Amino acid sequence: MINTFAIVGLAILLDVITGLVKAYSKGTFETSTMRVGMWHKVSEVIALVLAYFVQYSLPYLNIDYSIPAVSVVSIYIVVMEIGSCIENVGAVNPQLAKPLSKIFAKLKEDGDNDASK
């Protein structure tokens, strides 16, 4: 579980960093935009905690629950954050957008296949 939170946390941190780089490079940094973005990040963490709670508490209540909620939610968040990082990096350096998008498409495809298992 700690590794899952660390991976999701790193993905969120990378998105924040790339977003800041993009905003500063374009001269569009605004604290109000950052504040909204940070609330989005908080909601992602809450979603992961909720998935953990559901996955690990329901069996103690004798509720048969076999969906890997933590994996599904963490994969979704990480893929979403990677996509956002690629958009941010591509906005700063358009030459990187195309090769990074190809890598992301492969990661997303692999993630979708893992989530459906």
Side-chain angles (χ1 to χ4, degrees):
M1 178 200 68
I2 298 295
N3 290 337
T4 301
F5 281 99
I7 291 167
V8 170
L10 181 59
I12 290 171
L13 179 63
L14 287 171
D15 184 38
V16 170
I17 291 169
T18 59
L20 288 170
V21 168
K22 174 185 162 186
Y24 279 118
S25 72
K26 301 292 182 184
T28 59
F29 178 81
E30 294 181 8
T31 56
S32 60
T33 303
M34 186 172 174
R35 189 172 24 262
V36 169
M38 294 311 288
W39 283 115
H40 289 182
K41 304 307 177 199
V42 168
S43 69
E44 291 172 9
V45 172
I46 291 170
L48 186 58
V49 170
L50 181 61
Y52 180 82
F53 173 76
V54 167
Q55 183 171 328
Y56 294 104
S57 67
L58 291 184
Y60 289 105
L61 300 172
N62 294 321
I63 297 173
D64 187 27
Y65 184 80
S66 61
I67 298 172
V70 173
S71 294
V72 171
V73 171
S74 61
I75 288 169
Y76 178 78
I77 292 171
V78 168
V79 168
M80 182 177 64
E81 294 297 351
I82 290 171
S84 181
C85 288
I86 290 170
E87 289 175 4
N88 292 336
V89 169
V92 174
N93 185 346
Q95 292 176 325
L96 289 174
K98 188 173 181 179
L100 288 176
S101 293
K102 287 180 182 178
I103 294 168
F104 176 68
K106 177 66 176 151
L107 288 172
K108 186 175 180 186
E109 179 181 304
D110 291 346
D112 289 343
N113 290 338
D114 288 344
S116 64
K117 290 181 182 177

